[in-house]
Amino acid sequence: MTVTVWGENLHEQQHEAVQKVYPHGMHNAIADGLRELLAENATVRTATLDQPEHGLTDEILNSTDVLTWWGHMGHDKVEDAIVEKVHKRVLEGMGLIVLHSGHYSKIFRKLMGTTCGLIWRDDDLERVWTVRPGHPITEGLPPVFTVPLTEMYGEFFDIPQPDELVFISSYGGGEVFRSGCCWNRGRGKVFYFSPGHETYPIYFQPEIRRVIANAAKWAAPTTDFGIRGCPHAVKGWFETNPNLGWEKKS
């Protein structure tokens, strides 16, 4: 499995408070967690907004099984052409993990077809509750864990009904939030996970790293049927297709 960790990397360059928490960037903290937990089962690399084509060239995207996405202050700086390419790859089968303020990214809103708006407040304690025990993304996690200091994200969260709701979060102000949601889009799987505000060391927390690693394994494509768009099917094509493991009997 090849995972590409995409990070906007603007806060880390411009805000001292974020630099103190993530001196090497959030994208590298996320990538380090994936390398630690996936070990020899994955190749993990990073890409950032300021690179040519935002680090998402055709070569990189075509060899990516799972893409993670963190963005915030630079959503509008992401080129539409890159969004279209990422969207196409998701529909073809690439997994996408959208993190925290990535809910308002161009790619997530395009895939959801809604505003993806929510309410928010800074400085709060978050409890993350597992509501789909046994789901692959919950493997190795307790029924509930705490993020000591975070940014509150609350309902109403303007997203389509998730295909699977894995986590909900509760906060000190009484708010709740659908914080771990799964969708299928084309052949691809999409997971949104909300904890991850830039001024707190959330991406160093073991439970958060475990969620992201589990999500990468869940979102990775398992089969490529080699079919794109709306191909013309010749009668009996399946009878001689070696990828299907079935042969026509005479």
Side-chain angles (χ1 to χ4, degrees):
M1 174 169 59
T2 298
V3 183
T4 301
V5 177
W6 192 87
E8 191 181 85
N9 197 34
L10 294 179
H11 286 286
E12 299 93 322
Q13 297 182 58
Q14 301 180 25
H15 300 146
E16 184 178 353
V18 180
Q19 293 170 359
K20 290 180 178 179
V21 178
Y22 295 104
H24 305 294
M26 277 178 283
H27 55 290
N28 279 314
I30 294 166
D32 286 345
L34 288 167
R35 292 186 185 105
E36 174 190 344
L37 292 171
L38 299 179
E40 70 277 1
N41 295 318
T43 298
V44 182
R45 59 196 177 190
T46 63
T48 55
L49 179 69
D50 58 356
Q51 294 175 325
E53 299 185 61
H54 308 324
L56 299 175
T57 63
D58 289 342
E59 180 181 0
I60 292 294
L61 277 177
N62 290 337
S63 60
T64 295
D65 296 305
V66 178
L67 176 67
T68 76
W69 192 280
W70 196 104
H72 185 202
M73 62 187 294
H75 292 321
D76 61 329
K77 294 180 173 61
V78 178
E79 297 177 9
D80 291 341
I82 302 300
V83 176
E84 290 295 331
K85 291 199 300 182
V86 173
H87 182 264
K88 179 175 181 289
R89 284 289 294 125
V90 172
L91 297 185
E92 291 175 351
M94 181 183 73
L96 179 67
I97 301 171
V98 178
L99 300 170
H100 190 56
S101 48
H103 72 90
Y104 217 56
S105 63
K106 289 181 178 180
I107 182 57
F108 189 62
R109 287 187 291 156
K110 183 176 179 65
L111 285 163
M112 295 297 106
T114 57
T115 70
C116 299
L118 46 78
I119 64 170
W120 64 276
R121 183 184 63 253
D122 211 349
D123 299 322
D124 207 341
L125 178 144
E126 177 177 2
R127 292 182 176 89
V128 181
W129 302 82
T130 295
V131 295
R132 188 74 184 269
H135 192 281
I137 296 178
T138 70
E139 182 181 355
L141 292 165
V144 58
F145 64 87
T146 299
V147 182
L149 200 57
T150 189
E151 181 180 43
M152 184 280 293
Y153 275 5
E155 299 287 347
F156 174 61
F157 186 19
D158 186 18
I159 53 174
Q161 183 71 19
D163 294 331
E164 297 175 301
L165 180 61
V166 182
F167 302 111
I168 61 171
S169 290
S170 58
Y171 301 88
E175 300 90 353
V176 295
F177 188 69
R178 289 168 289 171
S179 54
C181 304
C182 300
W183 295 268
N184 292 284
R185 289 293 182 267
R187 298 189 184 278
K189 295 179 181 178
V190 179
F191 177 63
Y192 173 75
F193 188 54
S194 64
H197 190 56
E198 65 271 7
T199 57
Y200 308 123
I202 294 171
Y203 290 122
F204 295 111
Q205 184 170 334
E207 294 92 343
I208 301 298
R209 288 186 161 190
R210 172 62 63 184
V211 170
I212 297 172
N214 287 349
K217 291 189 288 185
W218 168 83
T222 55
T223 303
D224 185 351
F225 290 97
I227 298 175
R228 302 290 181 264
C230 300
H232 176 262
V234 178
K235 184 178 180 179
W237 64 270
F238 58 91
E239 297 177 349
T240 57
N241 191 319
N243 295 325
L244 300 180
W246 186 89
E247 294 181 359
K248 181 179 180 181
K249 295 181 180 180
S250 57

